[in-house]
Amino acid sequence: MPEHGQEPCLWTGVTGLLSSSRTQVGAAAHMPGTAQHNTAAATKPLDASDISTTSTQPSALKTMSTNASLLAAPSSSSSSSATSVSLASSKQPSQPPPAKKRYDPAEFTFSRVVGGERVKMPGSIPPGMPFAIEDCKDASLFVLDASAQTTVDACENSVLVIGPCEGPVFIRDCSNCTVVCAAHQLRLRGCKDMRISLYVATQPIIETSTNVSFACYEYTYPALQDQFKAAKLDPSKNVWWQVYDFNDSTGANWHLADSQTDWPTRTPQSTETGASASASTSVVPHTSPSPHHHDCPQQNK
């Protein structure tokens, strides 16, 4: 028995429940008409299932069951915190964009070359990069790669071979030069005594220039056809002979050459490139001017 003032323990409550159950079973055994059933029930020991189905559980059992349920169920705040930690840990730190590669403009310039030969090989000019040739004299200069555009300034007595340009080729203040070029557009200003073997997708333009000779493009090297494609140029569409002169509509400042055989050598001598200036192997097919080429409208198409 518990001491005075103390609450009965859980085990005491269970023991009392078992004793009460046995008493009820024993009383039922003396009821008439149920001797066999009552005898079996009286001798059958109670198990846990008998206890769990009893409707008169002590309040202590209910309290323990409720407390156990509260301990087993996680709180909503702790679950939310765990989710936040999980999401935070899954985020990767943002990476800065890769830095753009910087190029030295001198790598894409032939400047102040006097005498000798310079060659820019195929694959040496990044896509979208322009090229510049300036202040060169008595030189042979070969740009055997595609570029965004090319400018040629103040060159004398030189051979210039310029690979396909997606944009324009500007030639300014040059004299006595032989030029091989392929471009979307060609513009000359302030030039004289020039020989130009030309592929151009639009009408070539001259301004304040004299004694300029034009001929159909005659050139090839192994990578040239792919470079035409990269520059978005169609070799079969060449209007080299549709010259527009800003200063004179009579054609007095330019003419069309019958042949390029007497022009200076236009292939590299110091480096093996597979280049040829023969009409028979040219990437661009030979096209003859219209019989009425001097009647072409003086406008840039």
Side-chain angles (χ1 to χ4, degrees):
M1 293 292 293
E3 295 182 1
H4 179 72
Q6 290 182 342
E7 293 292 331
C9 67
L10 178 61
W11 177 249
T12 303
V14 172
T15 305
L17 179 63
L18 291 174
S19 300
S20 175
S21 299
R22 289 193 181 96
T23 302
Q24 293 175 4
V25 170
H30 296 283
M31 294 179 64
T34 58
Q36 295 180 352
H37 174 75
N38 291 339
T39 302
T43 59
K44 176 184 176 182
L46 290 175
D47 56 16
S49 62
D50 296 324
I51 298 173
S52 63
T53 56
T54 305
S55 61
T56 59
Q57 290 185 6
S59 60
L61 284 176
K62 295 180 180 180
T63 302
M64 289 185 64
S65 175
T66 302
N67 291 340
S69 298
L70 291 174
L71 289 174
S75 66
S76 60
S77 61
S78 62
S79 177
S80 176
S81 300
T83 303
S84 300
V85 172
S86 176
L87 290 175
S89 62
S90 65
K91 291 182 179 179
Q92 298 296 327
S94 59
Q95 297 294 330
K100 292 184 178 180
K101 184 176 180 179
R102 295 182 178 273
Y103 296 97
D104 183 357
E107 296 180 12
F108 311 104
T109 304
F110 289 151
S111 181
R112 299 181 180 179
V113 179
V114 178
E117 180 177 282
R118 298 285 182 86
V119 180
K120 199 70 175 173
M121 294 295 288
S124 59
I125 301 177
M129 183 69 67
F131 201 89
I133 303 172
E134 58 187 21
D135 302 316
C136 298
K137 184 176 181 179
D138 302 321
S140 295
L141 309 173
F142 301 89
V143 183
L144 304 183
D145 202 2
S147 63
Q149 69 174 40
T150 299
T151 56
V152 182
D153 290 293
C155 293
E156 302 178 22
N157 306 321
S158 297
V159 172
L160 313 172
V161 175
I162 301 169
C165 294
E166 185 173 353
V169 170
F170 295 107
I171 304 177
R172 300 171 291 211
D173 303 318
C174 295
S175 63
N176 194 31
C177 291
T178 300
V179 180
V180 178
C181 69
H184 181 76
Q185 183 186 51
L186 173 72
R187 301 193 69 150
L188 273 71
R189 189 189 69 195
C191 298
K192 63 180 181 180
D193 303 327
M194 302 288 291
R195 296 164 296 277
I196 302 177
S197 180
L198 179 63
Y199 168 91
V200 66
T202 60
Q203 197 172 3
I205 298 172
I206 66 173
E207 182 180 0
T208 61
S209 299
T210 59
N211 194 27
V212 182
S213 178
F214 290 94
C216 183
Y217 186 93
E218 294 179 359
Y219 212 78
T220 190
Y221 51 86
L224 184 57
Q225 191 165 6
D226 289 337
Q227 292 173 6
F228 262 83
K229 292 179 181 178
K232 302 179 178 65
L233 301 176
D234 184 349
S236 66
K237 297 179 180 179
N238 185 9
V239 294
W240 63 273
W241 45 269
Q242 294 184 7
V243 181
Y244 178 84
D245 187 347
F246 268 112
N247 306 112
D248 190 333
S249 61
T250 66
N253 296 318
W254 60 275
H255 63 276
L256 304 181
D258 295 328
S259 174
Q260 303 175 46
T261 56
D262 58 343
W263 290 15
T265 300
R266 302 180 298 284
T267 56
Q269 303 300 300
S270 62
T271 305
E272 180 57 44
T273 61
S276 170
S278 170
S280 62
T281 59
S282 178
V283 167
V284 176
H286 186 272
T287 53
S288 299
S290 164
H292 306 289
H293 63 274
H294 279 294
D295 298 332
C296 291
Q298 289 286 316
Q299 61 183 1
N300 186 29
K301 296 182 178 179

